Each structure stands twice: as structure tokens, then as C-alpha cells.
Amino acid sequence: MNTTSHGGDHQPRELWVGAAQLGPITRDESRSDVVDRLLALLRQGAEYRCDLVVFPELALTTFFPRWILDDGGDGPISGDTTELDSYYELEMPSRATQALFDEAKRLAIGFCLGYAELTPDGHRYNTYVLVDRLGEITAKYRKVHIPGHEAHEPWRKFQHLERRYFEESPDGFEVHDALGGRIGMAICNDRRWPETYRVMGLQGVEMVLIGYNTPLSYAPDPSQNPLAAFHNHLVMQAGAYQNGTWVVGVAKGGIEEGVESLAQTAIIAPSGQIVAQATTIGDELITARCDLDMCERYKKTLFDFDRYRRPEMYSVITDPTTRSLADVHGRARPDFEH
Ligand code: CDT
């Protein structure tokens, strides 16, 4: 990689990124078989001289929130949780994933890995870790926006029980100086929310890494099904452009245990343009040379936040006591009165 310090000389700051899309992982696929697939993609990334390889959300197991895996009552998780617990990692690196960390260090390549995390004190998170060229975890992110439902809903063809199996992140969206850039992470449903990108944009993010598992069938409103691919790129391209950042969106796609999921892994420039896109729905590495200085072209012009933003006009976004402009101004504004 050809890097300079932020705001240094005129050498381009380039980060070669690999987006490592995965095809389906079956319910009975062992961790070591999955890690072998990840290793193959990591090595391919090294052959292409990538600095960083990004894997999807929950990259070590099948997307288990599609099943009710405990007693399934209205309350919290209860009963026999043997299978459920088997999908979580109690430590990272774990015994099964150590090979990935060792290989990254040997190849001097970074990676980002999504997995289900069960902490020693019993908290369950949908987690991403960023690993540097030395095979060390430099940053951890826990999913902020948890979609789906809390209790078993038998009317659905398949469940989306993320809200039963994962807690919301207590930490939020941080950015990290790593691999020569300013890097942030988000997971799946997070990508649909403009605040995800803006909170990191305000911290100067230059590349947002986003893994996803997106079923092509959305039970609460099937009219959205044909738009799944459009919405996927719409939100990531908008997030990139409006914040002057690279976005790397990485799918676990294909038909997994009978459920079809979106592929369409993409690397998106700060212009909002897609510069690389997967063409299959299986394991596939796509790569791009990302000029991190391209971010400044947007951050210093049209999206010069310090110059043009009006945060005092946005209080309804974060202040739960204001629900309308009338609340903000303490009265109804004349032109709103009838
Ligand atoms: N994994 C994940 O967050 N998937 C959601 C599905 C939404 S439907 C409950 C997504 O936003 O793609």
C-alpha cells in the first residue's frame, strides 16, 4: 500500500480492498469448513495485493435467526439453548478462527469478520471485528439497528429473530485509524439508516465496511420484495456520496436453507458510483483500488459539514422531547397556522 499521513505530501493514499462475498452456509456446516472458505478468499485477496479483505455479517455460520431455537415464548431466551449457543463465539480469535488470524499475519493483510458474540457475562451481540496486518484485533463494532421481531411468529415462512437473539449495541458508531485510512463498520440493517453514515461522516470516516444477510422475501410487506436489490444499492450509494466516503457492502447471498438472500456485493466510491460489483451469488472476491483522498473532494466542497450543515435545524432527529417544528420553536410557526 502506498500511504502518507493525513494531509501530508501529495502521494496518493490508496487502500486496495477485497469484498469477500459468501454463498450459503448450511445448518450443519462445521466452523472449520467455513474457515477454509474464508481462508481461500483471504489468500485470493493477498494474490490481488489487497490491504484488507471484508467478510459479511455472521460469516461463520448459517443465518440462524431464521429459526426459533429455544422455548419461543414472549419473554427472553429460555429452555434448551444448546443449538442456539453453538452459533456464537465465546472468544475471538476462537480455536476455529485462529487459522484466519495466523494466515492474515503471515500474508500481512487485514480483514474484517462478522460473527455472533456471546460475552462471558451472557450478552449476545451481532459483531464485526477489524483485524490489522499483524493479525491483531484493532476495533470491534456491535450492530446498532437490530431488525426483525422478538417472539416466534408461526405465520411467517421463516423467522427473523434477530431481536430475540441479539442486544442493541451500547457503543455506537466509532471510526478507527487503521490500515492507512479512517475506517468505520456497520452491519446489515444499519445500512438503511442515514444516521449510520452521518455519525461516522462527522468523525471523518473514509471507508465504511458493511456486511449483510438480506432475505429476498420480506414478510411484513411483500410489495418490497422486487425492490430489495434496488434498495440495497440505493442506501449504500447515498450514504457514500452524502458523506464523501468509500462504502464496501458485502453479502452472504444465495439460497441458504431454503431462504434466498440478496448477493450484489459492491464497492462504492465517495461519488456514489459503484466501482466493483459481484456477478455471482456464491463465494466471490471483488476488489478495488480505493483512493482515500477522493473523500476530500466531497468533504471539502458540497459536503463541507462545518460550512453548510445546520445542526440546530435537526434537533428532532436526536431529541426525543421534540416531535415537530412547533416543539422546537416553542410554538406553531405563523406560516404553519391555519
Ligand atoms: N441481517 C439483517 O439485518 N437483515 C435485514 C433484513 C430486514 S427484514 C427483517 C436487512 O435490513 O437487510
Side-chain angles (χ1 to χ4, degrees), residues 103-151:
E103 189 67 350
K105 183 175 177 182
R106 190 182 74 78
L107 297 168
I109 186 171
F111 69 90
C112 184
L113 178 71
Y115 64 98
E117 175 189 12
L118 179 52
T119 69
D121 51 350
H123 294 284
R124 296 170 191 266
Y125 297 109
N126 189 336
T127 298
Y128 235 168
V129 283
L130 183 62
V131 177
D132 67 15
R133 298 167 179 284
L134 301 173
E136 301 290 335
I137 293 175
T138 56
K140 179 185 273 194
Y141 167 75
R142 291 165 173 158
K143 188 171 181 175
V144 166
H145 301 99
I146 309 288
H149 47 107
E150 289 83 0

Side-chain angles (χ1 to χ4, degrees), residues 57 63 143 147-148 160 162 188-189 191-192 213-215 218:
E57 173 192 37
F63 190 76
K143 188 171 181 175
H160 198 108
E162 280 198 69
C188 197
N189 191 261
R191 77 194 188 286
R192 303 188 191 276
N213 284 261
T214 295
Y218 181 57

Side-chain angles (χ1 to χ4, degrees), residues 22 29-43 55 60 96-97 99-100 283:
L22 289 178
E29 197 161 333
S30 72
R31 285 286 201 291
S32 69
D33 282 352
V34 176
V35 169
D36 283 347
R37 288 168 60 183
L38 304 185
L39 281 168
L41 290 160
L42 189 77
R43 289 180 186 127
F55 296 109
L60 295 172
T97 54
L100 201 55
D283 291 12

Side-chain angles (χ1 to χ4, degrees), residues 165-225:
Y165 298 151
F166 297 118
E167 289 172 46
E168 294 168 336
S169 166
D171 308 319
F173 299 103
E174 295 172 354
V175 301
H176 312 274
D177 289 324
L179 296 159
R182 205 159 172 75
I183 296 181
M185 293 175 274
I187 299 179
C188 197
N189 191 261
D190 289 327
R191 77 194 188 286
R192 303 188 191 276
W193 301 89
E195 294 85 355
T196 296
Y197 308 90
R198 182 50 51 93
V199 167
M200 290 189 269
L202 286 165
Q203 299 172 78
V205 76
E206 294 174 322
M207 182 176 282
V208 180
L209 315 177
I210 308 175
Y212 58 90
N213 284 261
T214 295
L216 286 173
S217 164
Y218 181 57
D221 178 16
S223 76
Q224 295 180 31
N225 295 350

Side-chain angles (χ1 to χ4, degrees), residues 311-320 322-328:
E312 70 278 15
M313 294 294 148
Y314 313 149
S315 53
V316 288
I317 290 177
T318 54
D319 181 352
T322 59
R323 283 275 173 260
S324 66
L325 278 180
D327 289 337
V328 174

